[in-house]
């Protein structure tokens, strides 16, 4: 997915933690670069029960990718608010 929505780091961390619940299918990996509300950029990587959220270089637009099995794509989009 691509998005221009601005995110708070804490909201991204909460969304990644929510992926561990199994409500959205079997998530094997997620990664992304999202614009932050403060003008910086949030980079994240996720594998089950482990996530890394950090600041990083800018991109043209925000991007996130969730890879897994039997994913609830609409649910994932709603989780991230995109």
């Amino acid at each position: 997915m691509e998005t221009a929505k601005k995110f708070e780091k804490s909201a991204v961390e909460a969304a990644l933690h929510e992926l561990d619940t199994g409500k959205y299918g079997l998530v094997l990996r997620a990664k992304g670069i999202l614009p932050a509300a403060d003008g910086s950029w949030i980079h994240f990587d996720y594998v089950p029960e482990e996530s890394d959220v950090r600041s990083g270089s800018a991109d043209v637009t925000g991007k996130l990718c969730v890879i897994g099995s039997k994913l609830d794509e609409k649910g994932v989009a709603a989780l991230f608010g995109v």
Side-chain angles (χ1 to χ4, degrees):
M1 294 177 226
E2 291 188 357
T3 181
K5 176 185 172 185
K6 297 193 183 295
F7 291 81
E8 294 289 339
K9 182 178 178 182
S10 60
V12 173
E13 290 170 337
L16 295 176
H17 180 70
E18 188 70 16
L19 293 177
D20 283 330
T21 65
K23 293 179 189 175
Y24 304 94
L26 178 61
V27 179
L28 300 175
R29 178 143 166 60
K31 64 181 185 172
I33 301 171
L34 302 169
D38 66 4
S40 64
W41 286 77
I42 301 167
H43 291 227
F44 71 86
D45 290 291
Y46 165 91
V47 293
E49 299 184 23
E50 185 178 331
S51 61
D52 177 32
V53 181
R54 61 202 177 279
S55 294
S57 58
D59 204 342
V60 176
T61 188
K63 299 172 187 162
L64 66 104
C65 178
V66 178
I67 301 165
S69 175
K70 299 181 183 175
L71 292 178
D72 175 4
E73 294 180 29
K74 290 181 181 179
V76 170
L79 177 63
F80 283 92
V82 295

